[in-house]
Amino acid sequence: NHVAVANDGTFIAVMNTTIRVHNDTGKLLKAWSLEWFPATQNKVDNLPTLTRIYDPRVIYDPFEDRFIVLYMHGTTDQTSFIVVGFSEKGDPLAPWNVYMIPGKPINDTVWSDYPIVSQTKEDLFFTVNLLANGSSWEEGFREAVIWQIRKSDGYNGDSLHKNFFHNIKYDGVSIWSI
């Protein structure tokens, strides 16, 4: 689904249910399932057992020589959240700090789907589409939202400073996949 390459050629590939770390020659160094990844890392937030995971993304931070992995959990307002992992060091085999971001960030029966990830020097940005319970993505779309997270908090294992932006519209219509 997604690949991120470090300055030294080390790369991480995330595919549906796995995270794989490779060296610059492509040799596999380690693989985790998305389900078990938080169990082997520093869980900053108390994540429940992961049962429905999908849409992984990975990004390399060239400013700090670190990686960030993000993926979705759940497909209802009761089960939806986003898992975000920040590598503590440039070595992706070193510990990661893992957080849980709400998948139901507004007071409605919605869940989060289809993340898109970007960054600045200081912050991680990701967008998700909020979908109504029991609907297809075409019929259940409510709005796209943006999360902003201070990267240094994640790298250090601190509480995350977050900003949340929603109700983003163009000509009165909610924008799909910002």
Side-chain angles (χ1 to χ4, degrees), residues 80 100 172:
S80 181
M100 183 172 76

Side-chain angles (χ1 to χ4, degrees), residues 118-162:
S118 190
Q119 67 180 316
T120 64
K121 186 174 182 180
E122 295 84 19
D123 297 316
L124 170 70
F125 289 86
F126 67 91
T127 71
V128 292
N129 294 319
L130 299 183
L131 307 178
N133 284 340
S135 300
S136 68
W137 63 267
E138 299 95 341
E139 294 174 2
F141 175 72
R142 294 295 180 259
E143 67 175 298
V145 299
I146 302 171
W147 287 96
Q148 176 185 13
I149 299 172
R150 188 181 309 158
K151 293 187 296 187
S152 60
D153 294 341
Y155 297 143
N156 295 330
D158 297 334
S159 295
L160 296 178
H161 288 85
K162 303 178 287 258

